[in-house]
Amino acid sequence: MKKILWLCLTLIVTFVLSFCLPEEKSDAYTIAFYNVENLFDSQDDPDVNDNDFLPRGKCHWTQKRYEKKLNQIATVISKLGDNDGPELLGMAEIENSHVLKDLINISAVSGTYGFIHLESCDNRGIDVALLYKRKIFKPLYHKLYSPKNMEGIKSGLRELLLVKGILNKDTTFVLVNHWTSRRAGVEKSERKRIIMGMLVRELCDSLFRNNKESEIIVMGDFNDTPHDPSITEAIMAKGNAKKMGGEDLFNGFGNIDALKIGSTKYGKNWLTFDQIMMSKAFYKKHYKKNSSEIYHPEWMHYKSNLSNGPFRTFSGAKYQENGFSDHFPVFINFK
């Protein structure tokens, strides 16, 4: 009888504890960046030059094509990291808040994300944004920043977005970038990217003055590689953590040779324009060795062949129905 009573008591205690104790959760999380290649709605915005992305525009951008694009991008987002989407996702080439609202309501990611977006000065109307999982990140403050001294350079530099928030329990600063392209030529446009790198450095320095242990994430499409002066000299980002000074940043994509692929392709050349960097304090607390990845499953390659590069939405003016973007997303799994 005593054995039976003891067994019953054990079962009751086990049952009660199963409800009282919190579920064991993984402490891993993912931070990602994705240039989604012209995510425009099909409505005319008189304040920006979105004429190409209208039903009668150059790209014949209809509501049907827009909805297809949303579903394609949402599918990619849902697969990043541990296959339930990243906890933080920086984005580039977003037209407005409306497309973000539509995106986070797609079934693949529905109910998971909030977003932060501000209209930039870009005359095409493409902006940066930050998506975040509401259960993981609590935004506290956000603002767009542009260089104070343009040094005679014509306007057209896109502002960067700075977001302050609580990531898990830590105060974290996220800087989302989309720098000037190389369309006008690498050397001719390089000065603009260096100026933006100096702005990133200036903002990081101001945060370090307040707290030397500031946890900072810098992400974006920099239109420069990890070895270019805008990254190594202006931002002071290192691909080798052993060479980091106290206020240097660690570039999670600095070792591009080990990746054997880039985040985008121009002609025959792979280029790692999309990168995620972090302050030393964030690196020491959260970074896992060899956890930086460029996401490129076969179904995101044009004609399922990696040598063809990313399966983009447009090849010139030719629409490709099942395309995603001309960039692959990048991500890092953190502890």
Side-chain angles (χ1 to χ4, degrees):
M1 179 63 71
K2 288 183 179 180
K3 289 183 178 180
I4 294 174
L5 289 173
W6 177 252
L7 178 60
C8 291
L9 180 61
T10 302
L11 290 172
I12 291 170
V13 170
T14 303
F15 180 77
V16 171
L17 286 178
S18 70
F19 283 93
C20 295
L21 293 177
E23 292 182 22
E24 184 178 348
K25 294 182 179 180
S26 171
D27 60 353
Y29 62 95
T30 301
I31 295 178
F33 179 82
Y34 193 14
N35 180 329
V36 295
E37 186 200 4
N38 296 318
L39 183 53
F40 283 82
D41 59 30
S42 59
Q43 306 301 311
D44 185 19
D45 183 345
D47 295 326
V48 298
N49 182 16
D50 62 352
N51 294 338
D52 286 349
F53 288 89
L54 297 174
R56 296 185 179 181
K58 177 182 176 182
C59 296
H60 304 290
W61 196 241
T62 62
Q63 183 67 17
K64 182 179 179 181
R65 290 184 174 186
Y66 167 58
E67 291 174 0
K68 177 69 174 182
K69 174 86 169 182
L70 286 173
N71 278 285
Q72 294 293 82
I73 297 302
T75 298
V76 174
I77 292 172
S78 70
K79 302 293 185 183
L80 294 176
D82 52 4
N83 280 333
D84 69 346
E87 277 60 41
L88 291 179
L89 173 66
M91 303 184 74
E93 299 203 12
I94 298 293
E95 184 186 12
N96 51 40
S97 294
H98 171 67
V99 302
L100 290 167
K101 290 177 183 176
D102 287 346
L103 178 65
I104 65 174
N105 284 323
I106 299 295
S107 59
V109 294
S110 179
T112 302
Y113 290 99
F115 68 85
I116 295 169
H117 165 263
L118 292 170
E119 290 289 344
S120 75
C121 67
D122 186 85
N123 61 1
R124 287 186 56 224
I126 54 172
D127 306 327
V128 295
L130 182 70
L131 266 62
Y132 61 91
K133 285 188 177 178
R134 297 185 183 94
K135 293 182 179 180
I136 303 296
F137 186 77
K138 179 183 178 183
L140 300 175
Y141 169 85
H142 60 274
K143 183 179 179 180
L144 290 177
Y145 286 87
S146 59
K148 296 176 182 177
N149 182 5
M150 298 293 289
E151 299 183 6
I153 288 184
K154 295 179 181 179
S155 62
L157 293 181
R158 285 179 285 265
E159 303 100 323
L160 66 82
L161 174 65
L162 184 146
V163 180
K164 176 184 178 181
I166 305 298
L167 179 60
N168 290 326
K169 296 181 180 180
D170 298 322
T171 300
T172 307
F173 299 88
V174 184
L175 283 69
V176 188
N177 298 260
H178 184 198
W179 291 1
T180 303
S181 76
R182 298 183 171 197
R183 190 172 292 109
V186 178
E187 294 182 0
K188 192 173 182 179
S189 59
E190 181 182 45
R191 191 178 174 200
K192 291 185 178 182
R193 291 188 293 278
I194 288 176
I195 286 178
M196 290 304 296
M198 293 168 63
L199 174 61
V200 170
R201 185 71 252 172
E202 179 185 335
L203 291 171
C204 289
D205 286 343
S206 68
L207 295 173
F208 287 135
R209 282 194 292 271
N210 290 329
N211 179 6
K212 291 184 179 179
E213 298 299 312
S214 291
E215 297 196 18
I216 305 170
I217 290 288
V218 177
M219 61 170 71
D221 173 2
F222 298 94
N223 275 300
D224 266 340
T225 74
H227 296 328
D228 284 314
S230 62
I231 305 295
T232 59
E233 298 174 21
I235 293 183
M236 297 168 57
K238 305 285 195 300
N240 186 340
K242 294 180 180 180
K243 296 182 179 181
M244 288 174 66
E247 296 184 355
D248 291 339
L249 300 184
F250 173 72
N251 191 342
F253 293 84
N255 189 7
I256 58 175
D257 295 332
L259 296 172
K260 298 180 181 178
I261 188 178
S263 59
T264 189
K265 195 172 187 182
Y266 183 75
K268 296 182 179 181
N269 299 317
W270 283 107
L271 300 163
T272 308
F273 284 167
D274 305 270
Q275 301 158 53
I276 300 173
M277 311 167 202
M278 66 209 75
S279 63
K280 192 169 186 177
F282 195 95
Y283 169 84
K284 289 169 66 177
K285 186 182 291 187
H286 303 292
Y287 187 74
K288 296 192 296 184
K289 188 177 181 181
N290 300 323
S291 60
S292 303
E293 293 188 37
I294 296 174
Y295 186 68
H296 61 97
E298 185 178 292
W299 47 270
M300 287 184 69
H301 308 163
Y302 180 55
K303 294 184 178 179
S304 299
N305 187 337
L306 182 59
S307 64
N308 292 328
F311 192 176
R312 53 196 298 168
T313 308
F314 280 92
S315 179
K318 183 181 178 182
Y319 173 65
Q320 302 182 125
E321 181 179 4
N322 294 312
F324 300 89
S325 171
D326 54 353
H327 288 244
F328 291 135
V330 298
F331 70 91
I332 301 177
N333 288 321
F334 290 95
K335 59 185 178 181

